[in-house]
Amino acid sequence: MEENQQGWIPDNSGVMRETERQQWYGQAQDEVDQLIKDDPGGDTFHYRCLFQFKPDEFDSSGRLSSLNQGSVGSCVGVATARLIDHLQAMDIAVRRQDETFCDLTSPEWCYATSREANGMLGRGDGSTNSGMLKALVKYGVLFKRKYDSHDLTGYSVDRCRDWGRRGVPDSLKPEAKKHVLLKSFRIRSVDQWWALAGAGYPVNLCSGWGGTGYRDDEGYMRKSGSWMHSMGNPAARRLHSRKGRSFLICNSWGNHWAKKGSIWPDDMPHGSFWISESDAAWIVRNGEVIAYADFKGGFTAPYNWGKAIDWDNDEINVRWDDGI
């Protein structure tokens, strides 16, 4: 990360429009209320699910690598790409759906289509959460693969900035349309966030929350200053005796960011940190917090939002010794 590059542009009314226009939104409210009632509490670490499908993304100590957006304000697209990766993995490993893991998601595609969907093509960087939601439904996503003459296997700052200003190639849109986000949920309380994370739904948080850049001796980062930034919560949570319900936040500034301070647990992803319940509440009040709930990837069976999770099964914690 060359600078503290961010890139989130607030659009609260647009986010509400993109979530509430979905016909099932009222039903989803009821489902989330039920998740809150049924939640058993305790810690979960669902980012570990990705190891089953993409072990090369983890280092020799079992820690997930951080994405690095580089010198372009592509945080909304980069955070989204990693969260779609987690959603695919958790649909299979936690919810046991009859699906196949497609591949890692292209951050450049997510970023550029978010700008295109919101009419933001042209000069400048940055994007909106509303544009990202609209693009995930309208355009879908591509993966880190080769598509004819377009090699998306590695992240490119130049391609990210170029596509973000000119738009994505029209020839690639039919393929991306096969893989769209079918459901999302606007989080309005820490109760909702806690329950959705516990049920395995990754969360995109866009806000002006800024941190010190280093962790304390328990892996937490303290609020300091302001970042207009999008980051991901890979459905991981921690119940702390003093800091309350806490959430693991993964940044997009590379493995060498936030190296100072302790990590917990030992496989805590690179470039990540914990936030306290009070900080999570601040983000919910002042930002745009979205849970991703249903992705049309490589699956054959219909998705059921209310599919029960076996809370008595230790696999909900996705431990290494479970073979995940």
Side-chain angles (χ1 to χ4, degrees), residues 114-132:
S114 73
R115 285 172 58 87
E116 186 167 343
N118 229 28
M120 299 175 66
L121 299 181
R123 297 185 60 82
D125 288 345
S127 189
T128 63
N129 207 358
S130 58
M132 190 72 263

Side-chain angles (χ1 to χ4, degrees), residues 2 4 6 31 33-34 45 51 65 89 112 139 150 162 200 202 225 231 247 256 292:
E2 298 177 13
N4 278 357
Q6 298 155 33
E31 298 288 355
D33 288 344
Q34 191 61 48
F45 309 105
F51 183 83
S65 295
Y139 297 118
H150 301 281
D162 179 52
M231 296 182 283
F247 301 90
H256 299 291
Y292 294 156

Side-chain angles (χ1 to χ4, degrees), residues 102-103 109 113 135-148 150 152 168-181 295-298:
C102 293
D103 212 329
W109 180 270
T113 54
L136 288 170
V137 174
K138 180 178 180 180
Y139 297 118
V141 306
L142 289 183
F143 304 101
K144 298 180 80 170
R145 298 174 179 171
K146 292 181 179 179
Y147 296 92
D148 297 325
H150 301 281
L152 306 186
V168 297
D170 287 338
S171 62
L172 298 179
K173 289 179 179 177
E175 179 63 29
K177 186 64 176 176
K178 300 176 184 178
H179 307 289
V180 298
L181 184 70
F295 176 68
K296 187 179 179 182

Side-chain angles (χ1 to χ4, degrees), residues 193-210:
W193 189 351
W194 180 256
L196 285 160
Y201 298 106
V203 174
N204 189 333
L205 50 141
C206 293
S207 77
W209 188 96

Side-chain angles (χ1 to χ4, degrees), residues 15-16 59 86 93 157 170 209 213 216 220 245 270 289 320:
V15 168
M16 290 307 301
D59 66 15
H86 287 296
V157 167
D170 287 338
W209 188 96
D216 65 16
Y220 286 79
R245 295 173 295 180
H270 290 285
V289 186
W320 295 116

Side-chain angles (χ1 to χ4, degrees), residues 4 14 24 27 29 35 39 55 154 164 187 232 238 265 277 310 316:
N4 278 357
W24 58 273
Q27 176 187 348
Q29 296 274 4
L35 285 176
D39 194 300
I187 291 174
R238 172 185 185 182
E277 182 168 347
D310 182 4
I316 195 67

